[in-house]
Amino acid sequence: MLTREELNLPKYEEKVIQFGEGNFLRCFFDWQLDIINKNTDLNAGVAVVRPIDFDAVPLLDTQDGLYTAIIRGIDERGEVVKDYTVISSINREIPIYKNFQEYLQLAHNPEMRFIVSNTTEAGIAFSAEDRYEDTPQSTFPGKLTRLMHERFVVFNGDMTKGFILMPCELIDYNGEELRKMVLKYAELWNLGEDFKNWLINGNIWCSTLVDRIVTGYPRGEKEELTKELGYEDGFITTGEYFYLFVIQGPKDILTRELKLEGLNLNILIVDDLKPYKMRKVGILNGAHTAMVPVSYLYGIDTVREAMENDDIRNFIELAIDEEIIPALDMDEKELKEFKEAVINRFKNPYVKHMLMDISLNSMAKYKSRILPQVLETYKRTGKLPKRLLFSLAALIRFYKGVRENGDTIQLRDDRHHLDMYEDLWQENNYENIVKYVLGLKSHWDIDLNSVDGMAELVTKYLENIDKNGVERALEEVK
């Protein structure tokens, strides 16, 4: 069993309140905080709040807050790496549904400075049923409002006793959304104008963009890893080598308070998240979405296998280099470096990323992840991005519901899309299918048939893919 005494690890002064005990934050934020603590005098320990009433998983306290983070993947040199670290940044875990008063006591600690959360995308929500007197409130923003009001009262509205909040939920401008929800509770519970003023002006509400694949507890490798580590650990978490933490907020304050000066961490303090979100959506998510139908019809099942196939890898790399990056407004060198990191992530031998998992709701994903690049590249260059449109043709063929070898494809999308494609493919007229799909203005927000040459090109690709197979059809876009 892991203990601080046995490993001679310090217990840091509590300065961070963390909502969520799951694998992601422990392999992302707490892992980064551990590095900062070991290399600076930040001395910041974490009090984890378990925000749900759930007893199936024991508290982190059973291991003195310690756990092993296993980071593995492909580094910047293209080499496979694997690193084991015992993370000591977490002090304790509070089950809020059993120890609500212990939770409120966190607000009484004058050294508390940071609040971090990952309560899933649905976590930042409002419920008019929540009451100030509840122990606890049902929503995360409700629980947070109660805690922040406790602090406001204890410290008499002292503007220097506010928090730096860094929510990590996967929604756009999560800090702004969280602030809106908290202010709604302040209004609902009639907590006064002074409190609302303190919320707005005494606290720093950062929006964030987080990026790391966390594969969690390695159940299938438990025995092997226990032998390798030489100890039992019920809270092992595993993640990829790559990580990125983009924080929108005041650079001078955040750099100073997080002690980031001189540290080689992939933490960026920025004025606006938007360019970084567009980069991630365009290059990482866009490449995933473009890859799926082409690779799956080729006979490939995982992202890594796709990257090991010369045809697919070249297709994806050229799509990024020539059709996605030119549509993005960031430094080209930075975009190229991010692209190389993405390709290495796709090759990670420790992550088995199934293409069919990525294929969920592919029509919506193509619209949000690829179509903006298609239209922007066309606008800037006057040329249709042939590989991104080849991917659209492959996607239409994918929705025929059968692979080239005759195997059924287990399509997962909105019912109306599935029914639409089933009807379209009964006719099997390539021109009519493409014209109908491109004309879905209610879906694309534009009639894509109005883009000169697009329907003809997609029709040509679709016919080639359906008649000759993806492998031969790819010759057209090399």
Side-chain angles (χ1 to χ4, degrees):
M1 187 66 71
L2 295 173
T3 66
R4 291 175 194 269
E5 185 178 358
E6 184 179 322
L7 296 175
N8 194 30
L9 290 171
K11 199 161 195 172
Y12 301 106
E13 186 176 354
E14 281 187 0
K15 298 180 182 178
V16 183
I17 301 169
Q18 176 175 308
F19 288 84
E21 77 293 340
N23 284 300
F24 181 78
L25 283 181
R26 290 192 294 111
C27 200
F28 184 75
F29 177 80
D30 301 319
W31 174 84
Q32 293 174 78
L33 184 61
D34 191 69
I35 295 172
I36 297 172
N37 279 332
K38 289 172 180 173
N39 289 278
T40 73
D41 61 354
L42 180 61
N43 186 31
V46 179
V48 172
V49 177
R50 182 171 294 195
I52 56 174
D53 193 8
F54 184 66
D55 291 328
V57 177
L59 295 174
L60 292 161
D61 298 44
T62 58
Q63 287 188 179
D64 214 2
L66 304 175
Y67 62 93
T68 309
I70 300 177
I71 307 302
R72 45 195 189 177
I74 297 177
D75 68 11
E76 296 86 353
R77 299 182 300 277
E79 298 175 0
V80 177
V81 293
K82 185 160 62 170
D83 177 71
Y84 303 85
T85 305
V86 174
I87 305 300
S88 58
S89 49
I90 293 177
N91 287 354
R92 57 180 170 138
E93 183 179 355
I94 302 169
I96 189 172
Y97 282 82
K98 292 180 174 56
N99 298 334
F100 187 72
Q101 289 306 314
E102 184 181 354
Y103 165 68
L104 287 185
Q105 281 298 313
L106 295 172
H108 295 232
N109 178 357
E111 299 305 316
M112 280 296 184
R113 183 58 169 149
F114 305 98
I115 293 179
V116 180
S117 65
N118 185 30
T119 57
T120 79
E121 295 92 307
I124 299 182
F126 176 82
S127 171
E129 302 301 312
D130 275 342
R131 296 288 176 264
Y132 185 86
E133 300 78 20
D134 293 343
T135 59
Q137 294 70 28
S138 66
T139 68
F140 158 51
K143 296 177 178 75
L144 178 60
T145 307
R146 179 66 183 86
L147 180 81
M148 295 184 79
H149 189 254
E150 183 81 8
R151 190 168 185 85
F152 172 79
V153 171
V154 167
F155 292 102
N156 297 310
D158 186 342
M159 288 289 182
T160 68
K161 289 296 186 287
F163 296 112
I164 295 173
L165 298 100
M166 298 179 287
C168 297
E169 287 80 1
L170 298 177
I171 62 173
D172 286 347
Y173 296 101
N174 42 27
E176 294 175 22
E177 282 301 307
L178 183 57
R179 182 176 62 183
K180 283 182 198 173
M181 296 298 105
V182 169
L183 285 168
K184 281 182 76 172
Y185 278 112
E187 186 72 26
L188 177 69
W189 296 339
N190 297 312
L191 299 179
E193 292 303 314
D194 288 345
F195 177 56
K196 285 191 275 187
N197 180 56
W198 180 82
L199 286 175
I200 295 169
N201 297 308
N203 295 270
I204 299 173
W205 302 82
C206 303
S207 289
T208 71
L209 184 150
V210 299
D211 192 3
R212 170 173 258 173
I213 294 174
V214 172
T215 41
Y217 188 79
R219 298 187 187 283
E221 305 170 75
K222 181 181 177 183
E223 291 185 15
E224 175 190 340
L225 287 172
T226 299
K227 287 180 184 176
E228 208 170 317
L229 294 169
Y231 55 82
E232 290 273 351
D233 185 348
F235 295 102
I236 293 174
T237 185
T238 58
E240 66 172 333
Y241 175 80
F242 178 90
Y243 71 97
L244 173 65
F245 193 14
V246 186
I247 308 171
Q248 179 179 299
K251 187 168 186 176
D252 54 342
I253 295 173
L254 293 173
T255 300
R256 181 177 69 250
E257 297 221 23
L258 286 168
K259 307 285 185 179
L260 297 178
E261 195 70 49
L263 287 184
N264 188 28
L265 285 170
N266 205 13
I267 301 175
L268 305 178
I269 313 297
V270 301
D271 294 328
D272 187 6
L273 292 174
K274 187 175 179 180
Y276 298 90
K277 177 178 170 55
M278 296 299 293
R279 181 182 74 172
K280 178 177 182 287
V281 169
I283 296 178
L284 173 64
N285 303 128
H288 263 153
T289 299
M291 176 194 305
V292 168
V294 179
S295 303
Y296 199 71
L297 292 175
Y298 198 106
I300 292 169
D301 293 316
T302 70
V303 171
R304 184 188 175 196
E305 289 167 349
M307 287 298 100
E308 291 171 346
N309 179 287
D310 289 342
D311 287 340
I312 302 296
R313 189 184 65 255
N314 290 336
F315 170 79
I316 291 300
E317 292 210 45
L318 287 170
I320 296 173
D321 286 338
E322 298 181 8
E323 299 173 6
I324 295 176
I325 285 178
L328 298 173
D329 293 318
M330 284 187 75
D331 177 70
E332 187 175 355
K333 180 175 180 290
E334 194 174 347
L335 291 170
K336 292 279 189 183
E337 288 173 352
F338 185 72
K339 174 246 182 173
E340 291 303 321
V342 164
I343 296 300
N344 282 338
R345 297 171 76 182
F346 288 171
K347 294 177 182 176
N348 190 343
Y350 297 103
V351 177
K352 190 174 184 180
H353 206 164
M354 305 302 294
L355 294 173
M356 285 305 295
D357 290 339
I358 306 170
S359 77
L360 177 67
N361 297 326
S362 284
M363 283 289 285
K365 286 177 178 174
Y366 193 95
K367 176 190 174 183
S368 63
R369 299 175 173 185
I370 298 181
L371 185 60
Q373 278 63 251
V374 170
L375 297 176
E376 189 63 26
T377 295
Y378 179 68
K379 177 182 173 184
R380 294 183 183 192
T381 67
K383 296 178 181 178
L384 290 168
K386 58 185 181 180
R387 297 173 193 90
L388 297 183
L389 292 180
F390 184 91
S391 175
L392 177 57
L395 183 63
I396 295 170
R397 170 58 183 81
F398 179 81
Y399 278 96
K400 189 175 183 178
V402 60
R403 290 176 103 165
E404 292 173 15
N405 64 2
D407 288 348
T408 300
I409 299 173
Q410 300 301 319
L411 299 169
R412 295 185 294 162
D413 209 317
D414 291 339
R415 187 73 253 166
H416 71 275
H417 282 138
L418 298 180
D419 291 343
M420 176 193 76
Y421 276 111
E422 186 177 354
D423 291 341
L424 288 172
W425 276 109
Q426 284 179 6
E427 182 185 357
N428 216 52
N429 182 305
Y430 304 120
E431 185 177 347
N432 287 350
I433 292 172
V434 170
K435 185 177 180 181
Y436 189 93
V437 173
L438 266 56
L440 293 171
K441 192 173 180 179
S442 61
H443 177 72
W444 306 117
D445 299 327
I446 179 178
D447 182 349
L448 293 174
N449 290 297
S450 66
V451 180
D452 190 36
M454 184 182 291
E456 293 79 5
L457 189 59
V458 175
T459 301
K460 176 186 170 188
Y461 290 154
L462 177 60
E463 182 172 2
N464 198 354
I465 291 168
D466 192 47
K467 288 184 175 179
N468 302 312
V470 164
E471 185 172 359
R472 285 184 60 188
L474 276 168
E475 294 291 329
E476 284 197 81
V477 293
K478 286 186 174 178

